Amino acid sequence: MPHDIVVGVDGSPASLAAAHWAAREAQRRGAGLGLVHAWHRHPRPAASVPLDHTEHGWAEEILQEAVRSIRAAHPALHVTERLVCDSAVSALVAAAADSDMLVLGSLGLGPLSGFMTGSVSRRVVARCTRPVVLVRAGRGATEDHLPAVDGVAPDEIAATPYREVVLGLDTDRPCDEAIAFAFEAARCRGTGLRVVHAFRVPVRPASDASLVTAPPASPGPVPAPRAPVTAQARADAERAVTAALRAWRERYPSVPVTESVTEERAAVAVVRAAHGAGLLVVGRRATGHRIGAHTGTVTHVALHHADCPVAVVPHD
């Protein structure tokens, strides 16, 4: 039975955090939730399987534990489970094909790890034809909302305004799928949408660059300087953002939109804007090939360094 939202669970704290985030998202959207656990038969049971369990029995226990946790916290939510004997990547990509969104857990942020630490998550994001949301371990319901004032009881957190949604926008190749996802996420949260666009001015022409010489002690050539940012370049970038969003503002009149245009690397601008946000939305150009699929520079950096859930939305 297709569900609007599917979440992959594997018994880890990260996947359980993702399952609860997915449950809250399903409630916000009035959708059902499907929990998927993939297991693989081995000649000998994996070391993680208890001695008194078969591989199938342990996989069933992992799935049911997640289901019990979700149903206890969200009793009104329609929840189903699916146990699949297949590789994790194949099972999750197939499950996502029948849904509007796939949610996966990730490890916490650290100096050497980020959202994409797991090879499974990396391959699923690169191959999936539906939006994939990565939720880091430890993410709870309170972090979906702005900080509550002193004296607010835990059961009143839900009434606290949601954190804003951030969208990374490339005006050269606007992704309608990502824009639509971001507007809808902001609408169902009753919060604002911050649209971030970063542009770079071109390097100076060769005639100008040739005037720049490296000092004698320099280990290599000095990069050609970029032309200074002009008022015209910034105005052009701002107009491009406004044009890309015009139809979506009309379609979602209740969503407050803030446009942010800056001259810097797009990945840096997007991660900085996402600090303290409730959700970051980025696009990923789908190559149509399973082999050699990749996520793109901005998406790769966002998944490693953003401190909020990241939605990766594929597009042609």
Side-chain angles (χ1 to χ4, degrees):
M1 176 180 178
H3 287 273
D4 293 328
I5 297 179
V6 171
V7 59
V9 295
D10 61 7
S12 68
S15 75
L16 188 59
H20 281 278
W21 187 94
R24 297 192 298 273
E25 186 71 8
Q27 289 184 316
R28 286 188 284 264
R29 294 172 179 256
L33 178 66
L35 279 73
V36 177
H37 176 61
W39 68 287
H40 199 64
R41 186 176 285 106
H42 300 86
R44 293 183 178 181
S48 59
V49 178
L51 295 177
D52 58 343
H53 284 71
T54 64
E55 285 188 305
H56 178 271
W58 182 236
E60 181 67 33
E61 178 59 29
I62 288 174
L63 179 58
Q64 291 305 317
E65 183 177 354
V67 171
R68 288 191 294 268
S69 179
I70 294 301
R71 285 179 172 162
H74 309 277
L77 183 64
H78 178 65
V79 179
T80 62
E81 66 267 20
R82 189 186 313 175
L83 187 63
V84 183
C85 183
D86 198 353
S87 71
V89 174
S90 296
L92 292 170
V93 170
D98 293 330
S99 70
D100 288 338
M101 182 193 314
L102 172 66
V103 183
L104 300 175
S106 72
L107 298 179
L109 300 177
L112 298 177
S113 64
F115 278 113
M116 298 299 289
T117 300
S119 62
V120 169
S121 296
R122 179 172 63 250
R123 286 180 286 163
V124 169
V125 169
R127 285 175 47 184
C128 197
T129 60
R130 307 299 302 161
V132 181
V133 181
L134 276 292
V135 180
R136 66 182 174 86
R139 185 82 184 187
T142 58
E143 293 179 282
D144 292 341
H145 301 265
L146 293 171
V149 297
D150 292 339
V152 173
D155 59 350
E156 296 177 312
I157 293 294
T160 305
Y162 278 95
R163 296 176 185 271
E164 68 179 358
V165 175
V166 174
L167 168 66
L169 178 66
D170 180 357
T171 57
D172 290 334
R173 294 179 296 183
C175 171
D176 284 346
E177 294 87 346
I179 297 173
F181 188 98
F183 268 93
E184 181 61 22
R187 184 201 64 78
C188 70
R189 287 165 171 75
T191 192
L193 174 63
R194 178 176 298 276
V195 180
V196 180
H197 171 66
F199 70 98
R200 302 297 299 274
V201 295
V203 297
R204 290 177 176 174
S207 58
D208 292 338
S210 63
L211 300 177
V212 180
T213 58
S218 174
V222 175
R226 291 186 177 275
V229 179
T230 65
Q232 184 62 50
R234 183 174 295 278
D236 289 344
E238 291 173 348
R239 279 195 295 270
V241 171
T242 299
L245 298 177
R246 183 174 294 114
W248 297 99
R249 283 177 176 269
E250 295 174 356
R251 191 174 301 180
Y252 290 88
S254 64
V255 175
V257 179
T258 303
E259 298 175 7
S260 177
V261 176
T262 180
E263 196 278 323
E264 62 182 321
R265 290 177 54 208
V268 174
V270 166
V271 170
R272 184 176 62 250
H275 179 65
L279 178 67
L280 169 62
V281 181
V282 294
R284 177 187 69 80
R285 180 168 290 277
T287 63
H289 300 287
R290 292 177 58 179
I291 299 176
H294 58 85
T295 58
T297 301
V298 174
T299 299
H300 180 81
V301 172
L303 290 171
H304 273 81
H305 299 289
D307 60 2
C308 67
V310 179
V312 182
V313 183
H315 63 96
D316 297 327

